[in-house]
Amino acid sequence: METAPVPQMSMNTLLDFKLRDFIDKSISHLFSTMLKMRLTPQDPEKEVKFDGEKIVGTVNLVGMIAGVLHVYVSVKHARLMTGSLLGVRSDQIRNLSNLDDAVGELANMLGGNLKSKLCDLGLACVLSIPSVTRGTDFQIQLPEGMVNERFVYTWQQQVICLEVSLRPTA
Amino acid sequence: MALKILSVDDSKTIRMIIAKTFKAFDCDVIEASNGVEGLTAASKYKPQLIILDLTMPVMDGVEMLTKLKGDPAMKGIPVIMLTAEAGKDNVLKIAKLGVRDYLVKPFKEDALLEKVSRIVQLQPRTGGKTAVKTLEDPASVLVLEDKPAIVQQITDGLNAMTPWNVIGKTTLLEAIEEVSLGTPDAVIVSLTLADDAGFNFFQELRMRGNTRSVPVFGMCIKTDGDKLHRAEQMGFSGVVTKPIDMDVLLSKLVKAMNVDTSSRYYTLEEDILLLSLPAKISNQNVNEIEHYLQPKIDEMVNAGVNKLLMDLTRCSKVDTTIVKLILATTKRCHDVNILFRIAGNSTVSGEIKSFAEAAELQIDPSIDEAKAFLHAQKSDA
């Protein structure tokens, strides 16, 4: 199947975009503002292992850019984050759907910030409603993009991993 | 009547954060999870304000806002748009729809309150926690320390002198969680925890809006100069050295918490203000007593009380500091015609009189005798 050619301007804009700097700034702001957690960036190639279940929040971008953003955290960390967001003790959060919602909202905020930046760069796109996957034994395959970046951060031994894939469309 | 605020967001987390933000105010927060539910709730409850998310399933914020502005009964309800998309085009689009203001996610609760306050008047909910004012008021002290015996010592020591609640936590995560739930009035952290947890906790506290100004004391042994120096450099409110002297710790805490400690020394008994000195008196005690002396004398004068009795009966030793305090009190009482008397045992009396400036002072051997003297003065008057 033939695909339409990608405009050179979109490709150049995307290649010039400093995604790592943007995400570093965006996630640090998000976590310090709403979760009162100061993240420490780690080597993005660092092997990440989550103890027990993990939760992945995902948002998609569609338009002049097609893209996806995944946020990975352990259930334990999601519980701490949700407790911090809601001002309750983490062990008082009985319903796992609250954790899913919180991680989904974090993906939504990060994705929303990214979408706005891309639109400001002239790469008009829209953001999907977040989706959430929870489990122990699964892997999410990142689509082949022009820009594929992985980000790893820690907060008090808890790991947050982000994956972003972006590609211009016709 | 409570203010009605409608929160429309597909994220339960955001709705709960908004509800939490207005918990301290006289508000009813009504929740809806999409535009359709939002319109129904707006029509039913007639809120004074709507906080509206942009991206939602079923009906998004733009469509709900368009329908709202097209309804004569609801078009006047002010709307604050909440969006994770802060792009220029998006902001322009929102502005054209007639919103009163917008807030970009992530947001601080203070920022939301500020924007809401510009549109509606928020009244504090009555019956909330009151500020600590005196030593009799409740307060909470959070202790991050992995040694249970130390936590117990602080708990027992403070509970013997105050009604304060001491919360002991042994790990950094537990302590962070505790301050997420509420704001302690003071924090004591061990500086010797593994992985610098005590110092990391201090940084966390200073980052958080609710704990930024809470006094934080570092705790370690006297000889650990490096840690004490580091705590000082980082801006800890003070340090507590082990072994802990509870009187010193309490003095440091009350000073940092701005607690009125006058009741430790001054009590009004009928028509006499009793100034009681503790058995073991430190310079900090004397400073506190002097700090409250003039305000207490002013209060006496305004209340028509004209007798002050200084109780030294528990004291075992008198030094220059105490004699200076006695002389200062004598002078201040004399200046405003307050009758002043001292009670103290023979040893104390002898020590006081050994100072030339205090040789002429009359000292009664017991409180009862001093009171009787003061009451007799009243009869004479």
Side-chain angles (χ1 to χ4, degrees):
Chain A
M1 192 179 74
E2 282 190 29
T3 53
V6 175
Q8 189 65 37
M9 194 182 74
S10 299
M11 283 172 54
N12 290 343
T13 307
L14 192 57
L15 288 170
D16 289 344
F17 175 41
K18 292 183 170 58
L19 178 66
R20 180 156 298 279
D21 291 350
F22 180 80
I23 292 287
D24 278 347
K25 206 171 161 185
S26 182
I27 196 168
S28 296
H29 178 58
L30 167 62
F31 273 69
S32 64
T33 304
M34 296 202 75
L35 293 133
K36 301 168 189 90
M37 293 176 176
R38 192 173 45 252
L39 297 182
T40 308
Q42 303 291 336
D43 176 4
E45 302 306 320
K46 181 181 177 173
E47 191 187 355
V48 174
K49 279 185 180 170
F50 294 104
D51 290 336
E53 275 195 316
K54 65 187 171 202
I55 303 182
V56 187
T58 302
V59 285
N60 290 281
L61 295 162
V62 186
M64 289 175 74
I65 287 284
V68 63
L69 179 148
H70 299 300
V71 182
Y72 295 74
V73 290
S74 67
V75 164
K76 182 184 175 185
H77 191 195
R79 208 178 271 283
L80 290 166
M81 291 195 305
T82 309
S84 180
L85 276 169
L86 304 181
V88 297
R89 201 182 291 277
S90 62
D91 58 14
Q92 288 174 339
I93 302 165
R94 303 262 180 261
N95 198 336
L96 285 176
S97 69
N98 287 340
L99 308 186
D100 295 348
D101 191 83
V103 175
E105 186 53 33
L106 292 180
N108 180 50
M109 285 191 257
L110 288 167
N113 288 179
L114 178 60
K115 180 245 171 187
S116 297
K117 182 66 183 176
L118 292 169
C119 288
D120 285 349
L121 292 171
L123 301 170
C125 54
V126 292
L127 185 71
S128 73
I129 302 289
S131 62
V132 175
T133 313
R134 175 161 34 89
T136 311
D137 231 2
F138 68 91
Q139 275 195 318
I140 298 176
Q141 191 70 42
L142 207 60
E144 192 61 34
M146 179 178 279
V147 174
N148 291 299
E149 294 255 23
R150 186 168 181 268
F151 306 82
V152 180
Y153 305 90
T154 53
W155 176 78
Q156 312 297 351
Q157 280 91 49
Q158 303 295 321
V159 178
I160 300 111
C161 181
L162 253 77
E163 286 178 346
V164 181
S165 171
L166 299 171
R167 68 179 168 85
T169 59
Chain B
M1 201 174 74
L3 193 74
K4 280 183 276 188
I5 295 176
L6 172 59
S7 159
V8 188
D9 201 304
D10 59 325
S11 167
K12 191 179 173 187
T13 306
I14 296 293
R15 296 199 308 270
M16 288 169 87
I17 291 169
I18 289 171
K20 176 167 71 91
T21 304
F22 295 102
K23 208 173 171 182
F25 299 93
D26 192 19
C27 296
D28 287 336
V29 179
I30 305 144
E31 296 182 16
S33 64
N34 58 56
V36 173
E37 285 181 18
L39 283 172
T40 308
S43 171
K44 185 177 174 185
Y45 296 105
K46 304 281 186 298
Q48 279 86 30
L49 178 74
I50 298 174
I51 299 169
L52 179 60
D53 184 25
L54 188 66
T55 313
M56 292 181 290
V58 186
M59 182 192 285
D60 67 14
V62 173
E63 193 178 347
M64 176 180 158
L65 189 59
T66 307
K67 288 185 187 296
L68 196 78
K69 294 297 172 191
D71 185 327
M74 297 191 286
K75 68 177 183 184
I77 302 173
V79 175
I80 292 179
M81 207 78 169
L82 202 55
T83 175
E85 301 168 27
K88 282 176 282 189
D89 292 346
N90 197 49
V91 170
L92 282 172
K93 187 172 80 177
I94 292 169
K96 280 180 189 166
L97 290 167
V99 297
R100 286 289 288 274
D101 211 336
Y102 72 96
L103 188 62
V104 178
K105 297 179 194 174
F107 62 92
K108 284 187 176 173
E109 291 174 18
D110 289 349
L112 177 60
L113 282 174
E114 191 197 328
K115 287 188 184 285
V116 169
S117 301
R118 285 187 203 158
I119 300 169
V120 292
Q121 198 174 0
L122 292 168
Q123 298 287 349
R125 202 180 286 276
T126 51
K129 188 183 173 187
T130 53
V132 174
K133 287 205 171 73
T134 72
L135 264 182
E136 284 72 43
D137 286 313
S140 62
V141 177
L142 173 61
V143 181
L144 171 57
E145 164 66 89
D146 59 356
K147 296 174 188 67
I150 298 289
V151 176
Q152 196 58 50
Q153 186 199 355
I154 294 172
T155 306
D156 293 344
L158 291 180
N159 286 351
M161 298 182 278
T162 70
W164 297 351
N165 181 29
V166 178
I167 305 155
K169 295 291 170 191
T170 54
T171 69
L172 178 61
L173 285 182
E174 285 176 0
I176 288 172
E177 196 171 18
E178 187 59 40
V179 294
S180 298
L181 300 174
T183 308
D185 296 288
V187 178
I188 302 167
V189 294
S190 169
L191 300 177
T192 52
L193 298 174
D195 302 324
D196 272 350
F199 292 101
N200 291 339
F201 186 47
F202 175 77
Q203 287 178 323
E204 286 284 342
L205 291 169
R206 287 297 172 256
M207 252 185 66
R208 292 166 176 260
N210 68 323
T211 56
R212 196 164 290 145
S213 56
V214 170
V216 183
F217 290 87
M219 180 169 57
C220 65
I221 57 168
K222 258 179 199 166
T223 51
D224 202 341
D226 287 348
K227 292 221 162 34
L228 293 171
H229 180 68
R230 195 173 157 200
E232 192 186 345
Q233 293 288 312
M234 283 177 72
F236 277 64
S237 312
V239 288
V240 180
T241 52
K242 298 178 196 172
I244 301 168
D245 180 324
M246 289 311 301
D247 284 327
V248 172
L249 172 61
L250 182 65
S251 289
K252 287 183 177 183
L253 287 172
V254 294
K255 195 173 174 191
M257 289 157 67
N258 201 22
V259 173
D260 179 351
T261 56
S262 62
S263 62
R264 287 181 83 187
Y265 314 104
Y266 296 91
T267 47
L268 189 62
E269 290 189 0
E270 297 176 9
D271 59 344
I272 296 174
L273 182 71
L274 189 63
L275 168 52
S276 306
L277 272 65
K280 189 181 143 198
I281 187 157
S282 64
N283 284 344
Q284 277 165 325
N285 294 136
V286 173
N287 287 341
E288 280 181 44
I289 291 167
E290 281 183 334
H291 175 73
Y292 293 114
L293 182 60
Q294 192 58 52
K296 283 290 168 189
I297 287 176
D298 292 345
E299 269 179 38
M300 286 175 72
V301 172
N302 290 329
V305 175
N306 69 342
K307 302 176 187 72
L308 195 151
L309 168 53
M310 184 184 275
D311 175 11
L312 298 174
T313 53
R314 286 186 294 167
C315 294
S316 53
K317 196 169 178 293
V318 171
D319 60 13
T320 322
T321 323
I322 296 177
V323 172
K324 278 184 181 169
L325 176 68
I326 292 169
L327 294 173
T329 311
T330 308
K331 184 177 183 311
R332 289 192 192 192
C333 287
H334 181 263
D335 289 348
V336 287
N337 290 328
I338 285 176
L339 298 169
F340 178 55
R341 202 72 180 171
I342 304 167
N345 59 41
S346 57
T347 313
V348 164
S349 179
E351 285 182 4
I352 293 171
K353 285 175 185 290
S354 70
F355 289 83
E357 301 89 333
E360 302 300 316
L361 287 172
Q362 294 298 311
I363 300 169
D364 296 304
S366 71
I367 294 183
D368 288 341
E369 283 179 62
K371 279 182 180 174
F373 176 85
L374 288 170
H375 285 134
Q377 295 298 307
K378 181 188 173 187
S379 306
D380 292 348

